């Protein structure tokens, strides 16, 4: 049985005497002896990103102790006048999975945290930002398996939620699975798993009413025009995304692997998959724009309930790179409208 590679924090640790064989812009380096060096966080998470919001309460919990997987939970506070405790009806729930090419990221990163604060406040929703295991230490489908495990944890909390922090605010009959970039890919795979399985039990305590794929991180062996035309000098370029796939897919797999390409030769057929409404967000300046648009168009051609929202002048992940921007606010408004239409609050 192969041994797990050693993982060393890049901060304050001397690198072993080995060559670097993969380098994700200094955030993650893989050495020839299998050692993995990780930086404690990205340089694009300045302390100026808000860590609190005047109308949102939040706390962190462990949802999978053996794997040390955490979730950050956000809810509009009663003082804000929102629904939930002291505000009338309960709030829809947005389960959120962060991006990072399956290799980077955390629900604790400042930019992710700041976006989730604003998402909870502006969308008027409970937000559950769940972590998952990262590659290359844990290659796909580990991240999707962890996400499925989180939904199982959520169902348990919905049933035995005596004293649970969210019990008075969360409407588990209106749950939406969301994610950005790699998190959007996770949302796709959860949708396929759920839609390919037997019909949900009528007494399921968690009703998933829709999926939101924010600039999903899809791949394929054949290049799309938006990929082929991506300038090499931009930060999120084709070479970097190829590195993410090399490090996250099973060893030897190509980008047509089902985990990367939803319409690859070995991917499950989507025609017979039962789907609730799906919102796909694309960025006009995103290298992955063509794949997101193609995904939405294919689902639409199959008769699936899908909506495409394109932000013409925006790059990949603009809403987490600038969670306080006007464009991020417009995206959150689009998500809130989608939620209200797909699952209106009970009267």
């Amino acid at each position: 049985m192969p041994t797990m590679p050693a993982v060393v924090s890049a901060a304050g640790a001397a690198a072993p005497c080995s060559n670097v064989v993969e380098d994700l812009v200094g955030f993650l380096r893989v050495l020839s002896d299998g050692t993995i060096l990780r930086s404690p966080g990205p340089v694009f998470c300045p302390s100026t990103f808000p860590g609190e919001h005047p109308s949102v309460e939040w706390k962190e919990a462990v949802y999978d102790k053996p794997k040390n997987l955490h979730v950050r939970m956000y809810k509009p506070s009663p003082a804000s006048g929102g629904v939930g405790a002291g505000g009338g009806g309960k709030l829809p729930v947005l389960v959120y999975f962060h991006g990072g090419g399956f290799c980077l990221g955390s629900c604790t990163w400042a930019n992710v945290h700041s976006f989730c604060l604003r998402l909870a406040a502006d969308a008027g929703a409970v937000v559950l930002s769940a972590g998952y295991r990262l590659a290359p230490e844990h290659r796909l489908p580990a991240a999707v398996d962890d996400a499925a495990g989180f939904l199982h944890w959520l169902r348990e909390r919905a049933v035995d939620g005596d004293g649970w922090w969210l019990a008075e605010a969360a409407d588990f009959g209106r749950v939406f699975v969301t994610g950005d970039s790699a998190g959007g890919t996770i949302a796709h795979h959860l949708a396929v798993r759920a839609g390919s399985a037997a019909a949900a039990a009528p007494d399921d305590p968690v009703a998933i009413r829709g999926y939101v794929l924010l600039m999903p991180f899809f791949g394929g062996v054949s290049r799309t025009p938006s990929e082929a035309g991506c300038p090499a000098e931009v930060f999120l370029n084709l070479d970097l995304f190829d590195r993410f796939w090399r490090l996250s897919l099973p060893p030897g797999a190509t980008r047509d692997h089902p985990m990367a390409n939803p319409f690859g030769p070995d991917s499950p057929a989507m025609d017979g998959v039962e789907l609730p409404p799906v919102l796909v967000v694309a960025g006009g300046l995103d290298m992955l724009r063509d794949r997101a648009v193609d995904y939405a168009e294919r689902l639409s051609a199959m008769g699936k309930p899908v909506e495409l929202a394109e932000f013409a002048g925006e790059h990949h992940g603009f809403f987490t790179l600038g969670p306080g921007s006007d464009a991020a606010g417009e995206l959150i408004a689009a998500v809130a409208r989608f939620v209200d239409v797909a699952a209106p609050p009970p009267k």
Side-chain angles (χ1 to χ4, degrees), residues 215 281-289 310-319 321-322 325-328 330-331:
M215 300 182 166
V281 171
L285 301 181
D286 183 8
M287 184 186 71
L288 297 177
R289 180 259 175 199
E310 185 166 0
F311 290 77
E314 300 300 333
H315 293 272
H316 190 78
F318 69 91
F319 44 90
L321 296 176
S325 67
D326 290 343
E330 293 173 9
L331 177 137

Side-chain angles (χ1 to χ4, degrees), residues 74-76 82-84 89-95 119-128 154 166 168-178 207 209-210 335-346:
Y74 306 81
K75 64 179 179 180
V83 291
K90 293 189 175 184
L91 297 160
V93 178
L94 301 179
V95 176
L119 180 62
D122 290 6
V126 166
V127 175
L128 305 177
L154 184 61
L166 293 175
E168 83 288 0
D171 182 352
F172 296 110
R174 292 189 293 151
V175 176
F176 291 79
V177 177
T178 75
R209 305 293 296 276
V335 172
R337 287 193 297 270
F338 172 76
V339 168
D340 287 344
V341 172

Side-chain angles (χ1 to χ4, degrees), residues 66-90:
K67 297 175 184 172
N68 194 31
L69 295 177
H70 293 239
V71 55
R72 285 197 172 182
M73 305 178 288
Y74 306 81
K75 64 179 179 180
S77 60
S80 70
V83 291
K90 293 189 175 184

Side-chain angles (χ1 to χ4, degrees), residues 208-286:
I208 297 177
R209 305 293 296 276
Y211 294 84
V212 179
L213 280 60
L214 305 174
M215 300 182 166
F217 181 46
F218 292 140
V221 171
S222 298
R223 303 298 192 190
T224 67
S226 62
E227 290 173 341
C230 178
E233 63 270 16
V234 301
F235 176 68
L236 296 175
N237 57 39
L238 193 58
D239 177 70
L240 178 62
F241 280 22
D242 284 351
R243 290 174 186 266
F244 281 136
W245 286 125
R246 284 200 300 271
L247 291 172
S248 63
L249 289 172
T254 74
R255 294 187 304 273
D256 277 338
H257 188 280
M259 283 287 114
N261 188 347
F263 304 110
D266 299 319
S267 299
M270 295 286 291
D271 305 67
V273 175
E274 294 294 329
L275 291 176
V278 178
L279 172 64
V280 180
V281 171
L285 301 181
D286 183 8

